[in-house]
């Protein structure tokens, strides 16, 4: 009996261990590789080396890092602010206001989740080109601000929002936008935190659409720059690793800062 | 008052968001990949042209290679010419796909550029119905790099590596494995690099000049598959997967020879601890008559977009620098290790320099000689797709299945993939 439980535990730990190794290894490899020369990385050297300073120097010599990070940050912040504003309003609206057509419209919004981006790419590109928005950062942000996923996420969370709060506020004479701003937003804090993390990360790591829209060195985001560095005949993998680490830091930072709210938000804002 | 100020702010913010970096007159935009190679070379070319034509500036924008293709495809497919650059770099194997899929998208250069001055094979790959559409750029003329120390240990002198046949190569490989414990060559069984080199050395490709698929009736492909099968079954091959592992096998000293395009020279010379240990010879041939030792792997060329507002300027720029400037080719060879395909460039000083890394051998001159001998072939529009079909059936070759049957299966799969 004990023996079989021990075996069960062993299998569990083995499985968890393998899963942990698989998730941590690429990150560890990235950090270790950033201290090695390109040749050592190709040779599979798995220990720390002395080339970190040289790699950092080469990265900043080859890449206009302040500009590139400014571009990425600008896009991510714009996307986060606009997406959260529009989509949370929509989620609130879909749940609060009853009408016959509500769920039909809602299903259509959800249907957009089923269309793969590749199918939208060329029509979207033509729209942006006609509007003269090619090579602008706003063109990256606009197609995503009414995000079906975030609308869905807010509507689901709003189901737990006590309607009595809204009724009480109405009795006290608050207008709808005041209820949203002063009652709903504070109560749904954790939902907002989780949504911010999701949108910010998705936008920071976004690759295909920025690639299609952006046309010049002055507008490029970090993902495009790292990709270009890696696509050389003799790539300097040390430099690529530095770029990858720097590109990872902001998402790590924002996740760790908001981790508690994120977990709460995923579990539901209102208890 | 307040409202008008607000309005002004809105307009200002709107304008700054909408502002696009549209090209100025006299500014030629170039898309390419590899900022330290293609990008840097284009900057050098731009600086040379601007010195003589101060009104022109060259703006180089680099993306990953797949990204350049993706952007080009999207812009061409959507018909949005305003989103296109003036000049774009296209890999030679993919040139026909773009030229045939988007007729009229690229400027015809036949009347503007003297294409006879370039290696013939580079011109053929950019020709559609007798019209030449590109400016030939770097070549992937192939060679065999070999470790002198390993081969010496196995009992071979550098002269034993000159103008050998593939059968002889397999024999030497067996001796190397036996005496040194090293493998003869590294091959990624999922990549068709070696097949491409062997096939072009025989003046053939997956398609004929009329773009008809030639697989079952292709003796060159048949012979190439046979040799690859022999090599692997003889145990002289280190099989691995992916470019990174393949390049890693050079640094780790696991293999005695490297069969690749001239552009691999930079990677080999980066192995400082292997100084003086490498030699260069022509790739092996399928015949013993001293012919068929020239081939190619990779390379790319410049194309001007026909809708470009700076079309004439862009063509003039390419023609003046890439089409005529021999000194430019010396500089990019010395600084970037780029071997161009302008035949006249080979007479320059940089090409006759002896390279101490290769024990004083005039490596560039050797490649430059082979450059003119690379057999011109029609790459067609589907090289990557057919590669996949070929490599999918390599295991059948290794199992010893009759080659005629294997070729039939390849043809069937390739037919399916290119439709």
């Amino acid at each position: 009996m004990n023996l079989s439980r021990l075996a069960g535990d062993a299998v569990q730990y083995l499985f968890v261990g393998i899963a942990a190794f698989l998730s941590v290894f690429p990150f560890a490899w990235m950090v270790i590789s950033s201290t090695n020369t390109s040749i050592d990385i190709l040779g599979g050297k798995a220990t720390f080396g002395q080339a970190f300073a040289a790699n950092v120097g080469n990265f900043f010599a080859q890449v206009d890092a302040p500009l590139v990070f400014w571009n990425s940050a600008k896009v991510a912040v714009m996307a986060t602010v606009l997406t959260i504003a529009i989509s949370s309003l929509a989620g609130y609206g879909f749940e609060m206001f009853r009408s016959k057509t509500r769920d039909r419209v809602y299903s259509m919004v959800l249907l957009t989740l089923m269309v793969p981006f590749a199918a939208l790419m060329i029509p979207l590109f033509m729209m942006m080109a006609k509007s003269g928005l090619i090579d602008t950062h706003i063109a990256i942000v606009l197609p995503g601000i009414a995000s079906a996923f975030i609308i869905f996420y807010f509507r689901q969370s709003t189901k737990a929002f006590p309607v009595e709060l809204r009724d009480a506020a109405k009795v006290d004479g608050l207008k709808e936008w005041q209820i949203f701003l002063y009652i709903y937003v504070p109560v749904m804090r954790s939902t907002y935190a989780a949504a911010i993390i999701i949108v910010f990360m998705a936008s920071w790591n976004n690759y295909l659409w920025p690639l299609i829209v952006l046309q010049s060195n002055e507008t490029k985001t970090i993902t495009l720059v790292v990709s270009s560095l890696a696509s050389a005949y003799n790539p300097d993998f040390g430099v690529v690793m530095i770029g990858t680490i720097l590109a990872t830091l902001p998402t790590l930072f924002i996740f760790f800062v908001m981790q508690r709210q994120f977990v709460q938000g995923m579990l539901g804002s209102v208890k | 008052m307040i409202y008008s100020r607000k309005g002004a702010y809105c307009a200002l913010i709107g304008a700054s968001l909408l502002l696009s970096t549209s090209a100025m007159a006299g500014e030629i935009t170039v898309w390419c990949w590899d900022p330290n190679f293609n990008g840097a070379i284009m900057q050098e070319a731009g600086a040379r042209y601007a010195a003589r034509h101060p009104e022109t500036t060259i703006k180089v924008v680099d993306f990953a290679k797949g990204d350049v293709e993706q952007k080009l495809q999207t812009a061409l497919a959507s018909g949005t010419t305003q989103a296109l650059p003036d000049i774009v770099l296209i890999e030679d194997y993919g040139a026909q796909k773009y030229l045939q899929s988007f007729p009229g998208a690229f400027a015809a250069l036949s009347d503007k550029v003297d294409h006879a001055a370039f290696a013939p094979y580079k011109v053929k790959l950019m020709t559609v119905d007798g019209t030449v559409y590109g400016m030939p750029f770097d070549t992937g003329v192939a060679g065999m790099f070999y470790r002198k120390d390993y081969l010496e240990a196995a009992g071979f002198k550098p002269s034993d590596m000159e103008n050998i046949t593939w059968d002889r190569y397999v024999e030497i490989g067996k001796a190397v494995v036996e005496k040194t414990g090293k493998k003869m060559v590294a091959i990624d069984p999922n990549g068709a690099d070696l097949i491409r080199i062997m096939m072009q050395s025989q003046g053939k490709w997956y398609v004929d000049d009329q773009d008809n698929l030639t697989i079952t009736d292709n003796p060159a492909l048949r012979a190439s598959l046979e040799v690859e099968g022999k090599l692997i079954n003889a145990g002289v091959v280190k099989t691995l997967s992916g470019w990174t592992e393949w390049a890693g096998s050079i640094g780790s000293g696991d293999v005695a020879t490297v069969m690749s395009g001239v552009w691999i020279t930079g990677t080999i010379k980066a192995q400082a601890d292997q100084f003086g240990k490498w030699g260069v010879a022509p790739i092996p041939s399928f015949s013993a008559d001293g012919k068929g030792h020239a081939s190619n792997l990779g390379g790319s060329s410049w194309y001007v977009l026909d809708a470009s507002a700076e079309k004439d300027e862009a063509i003039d720029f390419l023609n003046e620098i890439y089409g005529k400037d021999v000194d430019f080719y010396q500089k990019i060879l010395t600084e970037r290790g780029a071997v161009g395909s302008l035949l006249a460039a080979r007479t320059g000083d940089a090409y006759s320099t002896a390279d101490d890394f290769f024990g004083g051998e005039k490596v560039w001159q050797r490649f430059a000689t082979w450059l003119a001998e690379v057999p011109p072939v029609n790459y067609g529009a589907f090289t990557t797709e057919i590669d996949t079909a070929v490599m999918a059936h390599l295991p059948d070759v290794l199992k010893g299945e009759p080659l005629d049957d294997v070729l039939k299966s390849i043809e069937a799969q390739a037919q399916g993939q290119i439709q």
Side-chain angles (χ1 to χ4, degrees):
Chain A
M1 180 65 194
N2 259 346
L3 203 68
S4 75
R5 210 169 120 196
L6 205 67
D9 279 355
V11 170
Q12 254 182 34
Y13 276 101
L14 187 72
F15 181 75
V16 172
I18 291 173
F21 177 78
L22 287 179
S23 359
V24 174
F25 179 74
F27 191 77
W29 177 255
M30 172 178 82
V31 173
I32 291 171
S33 294
S34 72
T35 67
N36 284 316
T37 60
S38 194
I39 292 175
D40 283 339
I41 297 171
L42 278 178
K45 185 164 175 273
T47 51
F48 285 99
Q50 269 97 47
F52 183 72
N55 287 340
V56 172
N58 287 338
F59 177 81
F60 282 94
Q62 290 177 29
V63 176
D64 187 353
L67 177 71
V68 170
F69 278 96
W70 164 245
N71 288 339
S72 270
K74 187 175 152 199
V75 169
V77 170
M78 272 199 312
T80 310
V81 171
L82 290 174
T83 310
I84 300 289
I86 305 277
S87 301
S88 74
L89 268 171
Y92 176 82
F94 271 123
E95 188 56 32
M96 287 300 169
F97 301 107
R98 285 159 211 284
S99 86
K100 280 180 191 160
T101 51
R102 173 175 76 168
D103 283 304
R104 235 171 279 161
V105 176
Y106 186 62
S107 324
M108 279 169 67
V109 171
L110 287 190
L111 262 180
T112 63
L113 278 175
M114 313 288 166
V115 185
F117 182 73
L120 300 174
M121 206 165 70
I122 289 181
L124 260 181
F125 181 76
M126 293 167 85
M127 273 171 69
M128 293 302 157
K130 290 231 166 71
S131 327
L133 291 180
I134 293 296
D135 205 24
T136 63
H137 289 133
I138 195 71
I140 305 176
V141 174
L142 280 179
I145 57 175
S147 151
F149 174 69
I150 299 295
I151 293 174
F152 167 78
Y153 174 60
F154 269 99
R155 183 174 180 191
Q156 288 309 110
S157 304
T158 308
K159 285 189 196 297
F161 180 78
V163 194
E164 298 79 15
L165 273 181
R166 179 162 170 257
D167 295 340
K170 269 198 168 155
V171 171
D172 286 344
L174 258 63
K175 296 197 181 72
E176 196 69 45
W177 67 268
Q178 289 171 316
I179 298 175
F180 180 81
L181 216 55
Y182 300 129
I183 313 281
Y184 180 82
V185 173
V187 169
M188 306 296 284
R189 223 172 30 241
S190 330
T191 304
Y192 274 91
I196 286 172
I197 294 182
I198 293 168
V199 177
F200 185 89
M201 280 190 175
S203 169
W204 182 271
N205 294 328
N206 196 0
Y207 181 72
L208 185 57
W209 181 236
L211 162 72
I212 300 297
V213 170
L214 299 180
Q215 307 278 59
S216 59
N217 291 326
E218 292 75 29
T219 53
K220 274 200 280 188
T221 55
I222 182 71
T223 42
L224 299 187
V225 170
V226 170
S227 164
S228 177
L229 283 177
S231 163
Y233 297 118
N234 299 301
D236 188 336
F237 288 106
V239 171
V240 173
M241 290 302 165
I242 297 292
T244 320
I245 288 182
L246 290 175
T248 317
L249 284 182
T251 47
L252 274 185
F253 176 76
I254 203 154
F255 182 77
F256 282 123
V257 166
M258 303 180 83
Q259 192 180 20
R260 212 163 50 90
Q261 284 90 341
F262 180 74
V263 175
Q264 265 180 25
M266 288 320 247
L267 295 173
S269 274
V270 187
K271 291 191 195 75
Chain B
M1 184 62 204
I2 288 172
Y3 279 111
S4 71
R5 192 184 287 171
K6 255 191 194 162
Y9 282 142
C10 287
L12 204 69
I13 292 167
S16 77
L17 289 175
L18 299 179
L19 199 69
S20 72
T21 44
S22 57
M24 293 173 291
E27 183 180 81
I28 297 173
T29 305
V30 183
W31 285 357
C32 63
W33 61 88
D34 199 341
N36 292 319
F37 187 78
N38 299 316
I41 288 166
M42 205 36 153
Q43 299 280 12
E44 168 67 24
R48 279 170 182 259
Y49 189 73
R52 281 169 254 168
H53 305 267
E55 73 285 358
T56 307
T57 47
I58 308 291
K59 189 178 145 199
V60 180
V61 189
D62 62 275
F63 300 94
K65 176 168 158 287
D67 295 355
V68 173
E69 289 163 0
Q70 173 91 60
K71 287 176 75 67
L72 188 63
Q73 180 81 30
T74 313
L76 288 173
S78 69
T80 315
T81 51
Q82 74 196 72
L84 287 165
D86 304 303
I87 297 174
V88 65
L89 187 65
I90 298 178
E91 190 192 33
D92 289 342
Y93 294 125
Q96 288 289 327
K97 184 172 78 186
Y98 289 101
L99 295 175
Q100 291 177 22
S101 309
F102 303 104
F106 300 95
L109 302 187
S110 300
D111 304 336
K112 318 265 173 58
V113 175
D114 176 20
H115 284 104
F118 293 88
Y121 93 96
K122 284 289 281 192
V123 180
K124 175 152 181 156
L125 61 89
M126 53 177 67
T127 305
V128 177
D129 297 334
T131 307
V132 192
Y133 286 90
M135 170 57 75
F137 176 43
D138 73 320
T139 168
V141 51
M144 174 169 66
F145 296 85
Y146 59 92
R147 287 286 295 262
K148 290 179 196 161
D149 49 342
Y150 292 174
L151 284 153
E152 197 178 337
F156 300 98
K157 298 186 296 294
S159 58
D160 294 329
M161 302 304 287
E162 294 290 322
N163 297 323
I164 55 175
T165 61
W166 284 104
D167 287 336
R168 175 74 179 143
Y169 179 78
V170 178
E171 276 173 38
I172 296 175
K174 284 180 185 161
V176 166
V177 173
E178 196 184 312
K179 302 270 177 52
T180 68
K182 307 287 181 186
K183 298 289 186 184
M184 187 63 162
V185 66
I187 294 179
D188 175 356
N190 296 313
D193 287 9
L194 192 58
I195 298 282
R196 288 181 182 183
I197 292 176
M198 290 193 280
M199 213 165 31
Q200 189 163 5
S201 77
Q202 303 167 78
K204 289 278 189 287
W205 204 250
Y206 299 131
V207 294
D208 64 14
D209 280 357
Q210 283 74 44
D211 287 325
N212 300 311
L213 197 60
T214 43
I215 303 287
T216 47
D217 49 351
N218 187 337
L221 175 59
R222 190 193 158 97
S224 306
L225 280 170
E226 199 175 0
V227 166
E228 184 143 339
K230 264 189 210 165
L231 278 170
I232 297 179
N233 283 339
V236 303
V237 171
K238 180 184 167 69
T239 47
L240 35 71
S241 115
W243 160 260
T244 318
E245 275 188 27
W246 185 83
S249 74
I250 299 173
S252 60
D254 289 339
V255 290
T257 69
V258 173
M259 212 76 67
S260 191
V262 61
W263 38 264
I264 200 67
T265 313
T267 305
I268 290 176
K269 286 175 76 171
Q271 322 291 335
D273 57 327
Q274 295 168 10
F275 188 90
K277 291 181 179 167
W278 287 93
V280 175
I283 59 160
S285 164
F286 286 86
S287 66
D289 60 1
K291 293 191 184 112
H293 288 284
S295 189
N296 176 73
L297 182 68
S300 50
S301 301
W302 303 107
Y303 295 81
V304 176
L305 275 302
D306 200 57
S308 155
E310 272 77 42
K311 181 172 122 181
D312 294 333
E313 215 172 340
I315 295 171
D316 186 61
F317 158 61
L318 288 179
N319 198 23
E320 196 166 320
I321 306 299
Y322 289 89
K324 292 171 186 159
D325 193 339
V326 170
D327 186 52
F328 163 72
Y329 282 102
Q330 310 309 307
K331 186 154 188 197
I332 63 171
L333 178 65
T334 311
E335 289 185 354
R336 305 285 162 183
V339 179
S341 29
L342 181 70
L343 295 173
R346 305 178 299 169
T347 55
D349 293 341
Y351 280 83
S352 49
T353 312
D355 196 329
D356 289 338
F357 187 91
F358 293 96
E361 208 172 333
K362 292 179 178 174
V363 172
W364 300 127
Q365 204 166 56
R366 301 215 67 185
F367 278 105
T369 314
W370 304 329
L371 169 66
E373 296 162 10
V374 177
V377 297
N378 172 29
Y379 288 144
F382 299 104
T383 295
T384 324
E385 287 82 354
I386 305 169
D387 269 355
T388 312
V390 171
M391 297 333 282
H393 291 92
L394 184 62
D396 301 341
V397 178
L398 299 181
K399 272 184 267 169
E401 285 184 23
L403 280 169
D404 287 330
D405 295 350
V406 177
L407 289 172
K408 265 182 210 151
S409 321
I410 293 174
E411 183 158 277
Q413 185 175 337
Q415 287 284 12
Q417 269 172 340
I418 64 181
Q419 268 156 17

